[in-house]
């Protein structure tokens, strides 16, 4: 499942496509006619959470990676892509199991990149303000709220809560100010740790809580449960992760 750091890598891998013309487009996408893309110049490539945005003069294509989306750059898989784009230098982008949509300029310009934990525009003060406005929200739901922490997924959620010793069923309004700040700061910090480990192919080796059975601090079994409105899997320690409510 892609999280923000995975799309950050995608943006790095495709940076050379900016300024190039699209010479071929295809795929089994239904939301737009791929032929409309042929002849268009890629003027920008942007990420926002699980969204990859291909900006062209006449339109913007949004690729949402959902739960199981994948991509291949300069190669393909043994299955038809949802969208395939080839550019003038022979490079190509292939996207699978994702949602592809054409969006208008107003929608594109409304993206709040200050909410993206991987963005240079990330604004921690804004994130804290949004959290304080939702005092009854559970910590496990808050970290997965893309309007607050765009790009944070379930792995990052579990690891951040373990790092800061906060129980996933804690309510945001009950968190002491230092814990609220830690929640925000670690969401970004862990995302960049995730990025470096993923580039080195050692991400799973660094998991302390996600998909684990024993707490490395307390040496007791983790609790595993589907929690919150999202009902995503949580792995947590009932001893060292304090529940604030």
């Amino acid at each position: 499942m892609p999280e923000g750091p995975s799309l950050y890598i995608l943006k790095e891998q495709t940076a050379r496509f900016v300024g190039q013309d699209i010479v071929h487009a295809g795929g089994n996408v239904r939301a737009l006619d791929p032929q409309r893309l042929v002849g268009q110049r890629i003027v920008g490539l942007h990420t926002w959470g699980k969204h990859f945005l291909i900006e062209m003069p006449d339109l913007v294509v949004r690729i949402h990676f959902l739960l199981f989306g994948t991509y291949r750059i300069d190669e393909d898989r043994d299955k038809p892509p949802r969208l395939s784009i080839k550019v003038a230098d022979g490079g190509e982008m292939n996207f699978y199991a994702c949602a592809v949509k054409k969006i208008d300029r107003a929608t594109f310009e409304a993206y709040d990149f200050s909410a993206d934990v991987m963005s240079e525009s990330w604004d921690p003060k804004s994130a804290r303000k949004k959290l304080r406005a939702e005092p009854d929200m559970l910590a496990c739901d808050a970290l997965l709220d893309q309007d607050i922490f765009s790009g944070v997924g379930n792995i990052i959620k579990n690891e951040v809560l373990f790092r800061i010793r906060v129980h996933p069923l804690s309510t945001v309004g009950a968190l002491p100010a230092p814990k609220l700040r830690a929640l925000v700061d670690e969401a970004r910090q862990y995302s960049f740790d995730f990025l470096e480990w993923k580039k080195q192919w050692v991400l799973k080796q660094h998991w302390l809580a996600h998909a684990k059975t024993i707490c490395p601090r307390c040496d007791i079994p983790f609790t595993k449960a589907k929690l919150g409105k999202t009902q995503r899997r949580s792995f947590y320690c009932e001893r060292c992760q304090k529940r604030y409510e």
Side-chain angles (χ1 to χ4, degrees), residues 21-49:
D21 293 335
I22 296 173
V23 297
H24 174 80
N28 57 19
V29 58
R30 295 181 180 180
L32 62 86
D33 179 2
Q35 291 306 305
R36 277 203 61 190
L37 308 182
V38 177
Q40 293 272 351
R41 175 158 294 184
I42 298 174
V43 298
L45 294 169
H46 314 273
T47 60
W48 185 88

Side-chain angles (χ1 to χ4, degrees), residues 13 17 28 32 47 58 62 65 82 97 99 115 121 124 126 164 206 220 224-225 233 239:
Q13 291 176 335
F17 296 158
N28 57 19
L32 62 86
T47 60
D58 294 342
R62 185 193 76 186
F65 283 85
R82 179 77 72 237
S121 303
S126 177
I164 67 173
H206 290 272
I220 62 174
K224 173 185 173 182
R233 293 190 307 163
R239 178 181 293 173

Side-chain angles (χ1 to χ4, degrees), residues 122-149 160 164 170-177 179-187:
W122 162 250
D123 186 350
K125 291 182 179 178
S126 177
R128 292 195 295 270
K129 182 178 179 181
K130 292 174 183 176
L131 288 169
R132 286 193 291 267
E134 298 285 349
D136 296 328
M137 182 182 288
L138 298 177
C140 59
D141 287 332
L143 281 165
L144 294 179
D145 188 322
Q146 298 301 292
D147 290 330
I148 305 174
F149 298 107
V160 166
I164 67 173
S170 299
T171 57
V172 168
L175 293 178
K179 286 296 183 183
L180 185 70
R181 183 177 293 273
L183 183 76
V184 172
D185 292 346
E186 284 296 340

